[in-house]
Amino acid sequence: MASNYSFDIVSDFDQQELVNAIDQTVREIKSRYDLKDTQTTVELANEAIAINTDSEFTLDAVHSILQQKAAKRNLSLKIFDYGKVESASGNRVRQEIKLKKGISQEIAKQISKLIRDEFKKVQPSIQGDVVRVSSKDKDDLQTVIQRLKQEDLPVALQFTNYR
């Protein structure tokens, strides 16, 4: 029997599910009557999504479609970091949505402070953009996971490598 149990707290998303959500969004834009003739494009780059459409009204409609499709595919809406709306050529608008991956140092410190303050038998440690939590008791780790799920942090959290 292991003397210490641990798990990692990460902020990540399934890239293939995001690709599928964007494909579904593009399909719905092409089939919806109010968006059909807007020549809206939604393109996925490495770490961002670029939306080009004819007005801010249609941009809001595209946002709601994208959020709906992402939520259906179990993607957290916290991965989207909306940039400012820019005007493009021909009275069109463009927006870049950055995709958030990884836990920043400030948020990692906030998470480990919360764990240290509330759970005395649990040791958090920051390792790059991952927070590793270890304890001698599996039940303590389960309690930490439940507590972090209740916390409203600006990033989507996943719990991996539970052993």
Side-chain angles (χ1 to χ4, degrees):
M1 187 165 130
S3 61
N4 249 3
Y5 301 101
S6 68
F7 69 89
D8 294 337
I9 304 170
V10 297
S11 178
D12 204 358
F13 57 88
D14 187 348
Q15 184 74 23
Q16 187 58 50
E17 290 295 336
L18 181 65
V19 169
N20 293 344
I22 289 176
D23 286 345
Q24 286 181 335
T25 302
V26 169
R27 252 186 262 131
E28 184 165 330
I29 289 169
K30 288 180 181 173
S31 67
R32 264 183 50 173
Y33 180 74
D34 59 338
L35 299 173
K36 194 181 286 187
D37 296 328
T38 61
Q39 285 132 14
T40 300
T41 61
V42 180
E43 298 170 356
L44 175 63
N46 214 7
E47 296 177 4
I49 300 169
I51 300 174
N52 190 336
T53 188
D54 68 349
S55 69
E56 287 196 36
F57 175 75
T58 56
L59 184 64
D60 289 341
V62 172
H63 282 177
S64 64
I65 294 169
L66 178 62
Q67 290 170 354
Q68 177 186 4
K69 300 301 180 188
K72 278 186 180 176
R73 298 197 154 270
N74 293 328
L75 291 171
S76 173
L77 300 182
K78 292 180 180 180
I79 66 171
F80 300 125
D81 183 18
Y82 296 95
K84 70 176 191 169
V85 178
E86 305 166 351
S87 59
S89 61
N91 294 331
R92 296 178 64 79
V93 293
R94 175 178 45 225
Q95 184 177 34
E96 187 172 281
I97 304 171
K98 292 195 184 331
L99 300 171
K100 291 193 238 176
K101 229 179 191 180
I103 299 175
S104 68
Q105 283 297 103
E106 302 87 47
I107 295 173
K109 287 177 184 175
Q110 181 182 348
I111 290 171
S112 71
K113 181 180 178 346
L114 177 101
I115 293 170
R116 258 189 252 106
D117 290 348
E118 293 189 21
F119 305 97
K120 301 300 180 202
K121 297 179 180 178
V122 179
Q123 298 83 33
S125 64
I126 301 171
Q127 300 172 343
D129 60 353
V130 174
V131 178
R132 172 149 300 158
V133 181
S134 57
S135 173
K136 291 187 184 292
D137 187 11
K138 280 186 176 181
D139 292 338
D140 289 341
L141 295 180
Q142 290 289 342
T143 311
V144 170
I145 290 173
Q146 293 306 315
R147 174 64 180 96
L148 288 173
K149 284 182 179 179
Q150 295 170 357
E151 196 68 21
D152 186 28
L153 295 166
V155 293
L157 297 180
Q158 289 83 33
F159 307 100
T160 60
N161 291 339
Y162 187 85
R163 49 183 150 197

